[in-house]
Amino acid sequence: MARDQAMGELTRFSVAMPEGLLMQFDELVARRGVAKNRSEVIRDLVRDALIRDEVDQVGAEVMGTLTIVYDHHASDVQETLHNIQHAHYGMIVTTSHVHIDEDMCLEVIILRGESTDVRIVADQIVGTKGVKHGGLVVTTVGQVL
Ligand code: NI
């Protein structure tokens, strides 16, 4: 909301799209709740596209949230994950560990740094033997209004 106010004057423009696509878009708008209308959802989508584009630029300073799931019994997995994080301690903001059950662990690792570096470290972590699943979400406060 604060960001919408920071944008100042709103400019109207018209958009043409196939009827079927518009119907699907209106369903999306409805799912996002009563506080959202077509214009607000379009603004959200445009910001999302701009942020994705910005974080893909080499040299962009980004924040990354990496979620991984692993079996802590798998050989050396915890030690390897620990070593990778110490090797890049300047980029690791924090790590949260959840014991899902007797075997499986979930870790959320927050990284900050240059876009390419964040992806390289995230790939190294996800690529560690024993890590079953992992996903990185990258964002930035950047220039996007
Ligand atoms: Ni655990």
Side-chain angles (χ1 to χ4, degrees):
M1 205 57 84
R3 286 201 158 218
D4 284 353
Q5 286 158 3
M7 288 188 309
E9 286 288 304
L10 296 175
T11 303
R12 290 190 180 277
F13 69 104
S14 52
V15 177
M17 68 171 77
E19 197 181 336
L21 186 61
L22 181 58
M23 283 171 64
Q24 285 182 302
F25 178 64
D26 282 341
E27 287 166 17
L28 175 71
V29 173
R31 282 198 296 278
R32 293 208 173 174
V34 289
K36 292 283 177 174
N37 56 40
R38 279 179 179 167
S39 290
E40 287 182 44
V41 174
I42 286 176
R43 287 197 288 273
D44 289 347
L45 294 173
V46 170
R47 279 191 206 102
D48 188 50
L50 291 169
I51 286 174
R52 279 170 196 254
D53 184 63
E54 189 176 331
V55 300
D56 281 344
Q57 307 295 320
V58 173
E61 284 298 311
V62 302
M63 300 293 301
T65 309
L66 176 63
T67 302
I68 55 170
V69 173
Y70 63 89
D71 182 341
H72 74 93
H73 298 300
S75 66
D76 298 338
V77 63
Q78 280 189 304
E79 199 189 337
T80 307
L81 292 173
H82 209 106
N83 287 341
I84 294 169
Q85 292 184 57
H86 274 282
H88 303 283
Y89 68 90
M91 292 171 60
I92 309 291
V93 178
T94 191
T95 303
S96 287
H97 185 108
V98 177
H99 312 300
I100 302 173
D101 58 25
E102 289 85 348
D103 305 313
M104 303 304 292
C105 303
L106 176 138
E107 242 170 67
V108 179
I109 301 160
I110 299 181
L111 305 105
R112 76 184 309 160
E114 192 272 324
S115 171
T116 310
D117 292 340
V118 166
R119 286 175 204 281
I120 288 171
V121 174
D123 283 345
Q124 232 182 316
I125 291 170
V126 174
T128 298
K129 194 173 176 225
V131 174
K132 306 272 185 205
H133 176 246
L136 175 69
V137 174
V138 182
T139 190
T140 178
V141 289
Q143 302 304 312
V144 176
L145 293 173

